Each structure stands twice: as structure tokens, then as C-alpha cells.
Amino acid sequence: MQYGEGGNAFGNGSYSFSNPVFASLAGYSSMALLKMLGMSTYTMIQRFCTGNFPTPEDDIYKKLMNKLGLSSSIIGNKNDKVERARNNHLNDLENIIPFVLIGLFYVGTRPKFDRALWHFQIFLISRILHTIAYQVFFLCYFVFV
Amino acid sequence: MQYGEGGNAFGNGSYSFSNPVFASLAGYSSMALLKMLGMSTYTMIQRFCTGNFPTPEDDIYKKLMNKLGLSSSIIGNKNDKVERARNNHLNDLENIIPFVLIGLFYVGTRPKFDRALWHFQIFLISRILHTIAYQVFFLCYFVFV
Amino acid sequence: MQYGEGGNAFGNGSYSFSNPVFASLAGYSSMALLKMLGMSTYTMIQRFCTGNFPTPEDDIYKKLMNKLGLSSSIIGNKNDKVERARNNHLNDLENIIPFVLIGLFYVGTRPKFDRALWHFQIFLISRILHTIAYQVFFLCYFVFV
């Protein structure tokens, strides 16, 4: 591969949306980051489902839920489902952020468009599958083993 | 909005400090990141105030504090104030970093300057207010409720 | 220092690999990020060495280790060595990611090459020394004190 020539005909401006590699990095990175930000909402949902809140201020929600008859107040400092969601969020931070940053430098090396697209797509799909496996299909372990 | 034309007259170089949108992103991002890095110092202060340190090496500080007569050694693995500072730091990581990264891609779409500035300012202010609310004003809850 | 002129002769394209400051930022950032990603592997190794796994699915590894005669199954929810590796990973996240992001903006200000290189090198070396000190030499504390 000829460095700086192989990828595309854009001599200047590898960091602009006229460069398809940068545009696809922007798209896939944003999707991965959106997925990561979605983990906050997922953690919130898990907290409400299990009645597990981190701070004493949140007791107001417990009272609300008790009034509504949703007495899901298994009071305990650590809940397995909530911790699972939080660990997933941290794992996303540890993997998606370096991907975006290294991706930015990778675009600068002017890679071939097809090859770059492959990397971005495989990364995004693997992150989504990781989340599904970690949050949903771990149950299969208890069913089949 | 005309894509690529609406925002400014800078045909080339959306990623340079001659582009006011990029310059303001750089400014507000740096301020947000600085605030985030400041959480380390804040956690340190909370650790010294409560005498709660994470590793056995840090016992040296406890001895020092005892010598100085500051016997604030409520020995315990988890301290509420320290955990609160740490959670705040993690929350900053989960929100400020994606903001900067998505902001970088956002600048590439050449948004209108006013509109972009709005986003950046509202984000920075909301993060600062979040920290103040989480670290200081939660006390109001115990006073008023 | 003349702003925008002092650093180098590259009038356009401060964000391209023809700019030596950007190229060195890319190199040192990638090394720092690689070191950070290596913490995952290190945590894994510590988990296998101590037989401490985070989720119930991982019991399969414990069984495997017992079959192989490596009965290192000190069952407990928190292990000191594993927590140390995890804390180190989080500390890297809190420091290396802001470094890369602020570094990107710093390149835009067209700093002098020598000076920028200094910053990047000192940062990388200090992060590596921090990890070594936190993971290995903390033992010295128990030996000498």
C-alpha cells in the first residue's frame, strides 16, 4: 500500500466530511457513543426495577414507588443487575473511547475506504453483541449448564 | 439550513483555530475537562478530611495526621463522602468525554456559530451545576425533607 | 512566541501527519492508549492468578482451574490485587483520555515541536512509571517501612 496515496484521491483535508473514511468513522463512532450513553438509561431502568438507588436522596423514589404499590424495595447496597449494568458501562468507556481516539489517528494515515469501513463495522457490531451477551444471554448459562 | 454553507465562510479548514466553532469547542471542552481533572483533587481533599485512604501504603498519611493531632481516622473501607466524589468523577468521564468526541464530529458538519456556542455553553454550565448539586446541595434534602 | 507562526512552517493542515507535532501526538497517544488497553489483560491475569471472577458465569473457569489442579480458589467478592489492577485502569481512563483530547486541541495552537515533544514524552513516561509503582514497587513499602 502506498502510504498517503492508496486510500483516496483527496490530497488535502483527511479530516473533513468530504473524506468518506472520516465520515464513516464519525457515523460509527457516534453510534457506538450513543450506545454507551444509552447504558445510563439502562442502569436507571434497572435501578427502578429493583428499587436499588445509590444515594440517600433517592429515597424519595422509593417512597413514590411504595405509594404506587410497586413495593420492589429489596433494600441492599449492591444489586447484581444494577452492578452488571454499571460494569457494562465502565467496559464501554474502557473500549469505545480508545476506539474513537485511535480511529481519529487512523484516519490520518489515509487507509483504504473498504478496509477502514470493515474495522468500524466489526467494532460496532461486536460492542452491541457484547452488551446483549452480558445483559441478556448470560441467563442461558444458568439454563443450560 | 444549507449543509456546509450555513455556518461560516471558511470553505476549508473546519478543524483549525481560524474556525470560531472549533475554537469555542476547544475552549469549552478544555474547561469541562479541567473541571473533570479537578475532581481528582477534590477526592484527595475528601480523603484527607475523612482519613479514608484506598491502599495500605497510604497508612503513612494516617500516621502523619495523627502526629499533627488531626485524628480524623474513622477507619472504614468505604466512606460516603469519598464515594460521592468518586462517583461524580466517573459520571464526568461518562458524559464529558463523549461530549468532546461528538463535538469534534459536530464541528465537521459546519454548524452555525451561535447555535454551536449555545450547545457548548449549556453543556458546561449543566455539568458545573450537576457537580455543585451532587456535592453540596444534596444536604438541602436532609434539611428540608 | 508568535501565535500561529512560531512552531513550524506548515501554514495549512495542522491536523495531518505532515505536521510533526501531530504525528508525535498520534504516536505517544497511541502508546499511552495501548498501555491502558493492556490493563484489561493485566486484570485478567490477576483474576486467573487469584481465582477471583466478577460474575457467576465465570465459575466455569474456576471448575477448569480445579480440574487442572490449580486450586487457587480463595473465594471472595473482592480481591486486593484485582481491585488494584482495576483502580489502575480507571486511573488511566481518568488521565490518559483527557491528555489525548487536550493534546488534540494543543496541536491546533501550533506549538514548537521540541516543546510539544517534551510534554508528550514526559506524560508517557510518567504514566508508565505510575503503573509500575502502583503494581510492583508498592511492595517495597512493606519491606522498608
Side-chain angles (χ1 to χ4, degrees), chain A residues 122-143:
Chain A
I122 290 172
F123 179 80
L124 180 65
I125 291 167
S126 66
R127 287 316 298 175
I128 291 171
L129 287 179
H130 169 266
T131 302
I132 294 171
Y134 197 62
Q135 298 296 338
V136 183
F137 285 118
F138 78 94
L139 294 165
C140 300
Y141 172 79
F142 298 105
V143 176

Side-chain angles (χ1 to χ4, degrees), chain A residues 3 14-15 80 84 87 90 93-95 97-98 101-102 104-105 108-110 133-134 138 141-142 145, chain C residues 15-17 22 25-26 29-30 33 36-37 40 55-57 59-60 63 86 89-90 93 97 100-101 104:
Chain A
Y3 181 83
S14 61
Y15 290 104
D80 200 47
R84 198 172 270 272
N87 281 342
L90 187 60
L93 265 178
E94 287 165 357
N95 290 285
I97 307 279
L101 291 174
I102 291 174
L104 281 172
F105 295 127
T109 64
R110 304 197 184 182
Y134 197 62
F138 78 94
Y141 172 79
F142 298 105
V145 177
Chain C
Y15 290 103
S16 84
F17 277 90
F22 183 74
L25 173 72
S29 293
S30 301
L33 288 168
M36 193 180 95
L37 291 172
S40 296
T55 57
E57 298 99 286
D59 284 349
I60 207 163
K63 282 176 197 164
R86 275 165 62 89
H89 200 163
L90 187 61
L93 265 178
I97 306 278
V100 180
L101 291 174
L104 281 173

Side-chain angles (χ1 to χ4, degrees), chain B residues 15-17 22 25-26 29-30 33-34 36-37 40 54-60 63 78 86 89-90 93 96-97 100-101 104, chain C residues 3 14-15 78 80 84 87 90 93-95 97-99 101-102 104-110 133-134 137-139 141-142 145:
Chain B
Y15 290 104
S16 84
F17 277 91
F22 183 74
L25 174 73
S29 294
S30 302
L33 289 168
L34 210 70
M36 193 180 95
L37 292 172
S40 295
T55 58
E57 298 100 287
D58 294 320
D59 285 349
I60 208 164
K63 281 176 198 164
K78 296 270 174 185
R86 275 167 60 89
H89 200 164
L90 187 60
L93 265 178
I96 289 174
I97 306 279
V100 180
L101 291 174
L104 281 173
Chain C
Y3 181 83
S14 60
Y15 290 103
K78 295 272 176 184
D80 199 47
R84 198 172 269 273
N87 282 341
L90 187 61
L93 265 178
E94 286 166 356
N95 289 288
I97 306 278
F99 162 75
L101 291 174
I102 292 173
L104 281 173
F105 295 126
Y106 176 59
V107 168
T109 63
R110 306 198 180 182
Y134 197 62
F137 284 118
F138 77 96
L139 295 165
Y141 172 79
F142 298 104
V145 179

Side-chain angles (χ1 to χ4, degrees), chain B residues 8-97:
Chain B
N8 53 60
F10 301 89
N12 45 11
S14 60
Y15 290 104
S16 84
F17 277 91
S18 59
N19 178 357
V21 181
F22 183 74
S24 61
L25 174 73
Y28 286 101
S29 294
S30 302
M31 278 187 270
L33 289 168
L34 210 70
K35 189 223 138 277
M36 193 180 95
L37 292 172
M39 290 311 295
S40 295
T41 315
Y42 183 75
T43 307
M44 273 289 285
I45 292 169
Q46 291 293 345
R47 282 197 192 287
F48 273 98
C49 285
T50 59
N52 178 289
F53 296 102
T55 58
E57 298 100 287
D58 294 320
D59 285 349
I60 208 164
Y61 295 121
K62 282 189 187 168
K63 281 176 198 164
L64 193 77
M65 284 165 80
N66 283 331
K67 269 185 191 163
L68 291 168
L70 301 159
S71 61
S72 59
S73 55
I74 309 143
I75 295 160
N77 283 323
K78 296 270 174 185
N79 179 282
D80 199 47
K81 275 188 184 171
V82 174
E83 289 307 301
R84 197 171 270 273
R86 275 167 60 89
N87 282 340
N88 203 335
H89 200 164
L90 187 60
N91 191 281
D92 275 1
L93 265 178
E94 286 166 357
N95 290 286
I96 289 174
I97 306 279

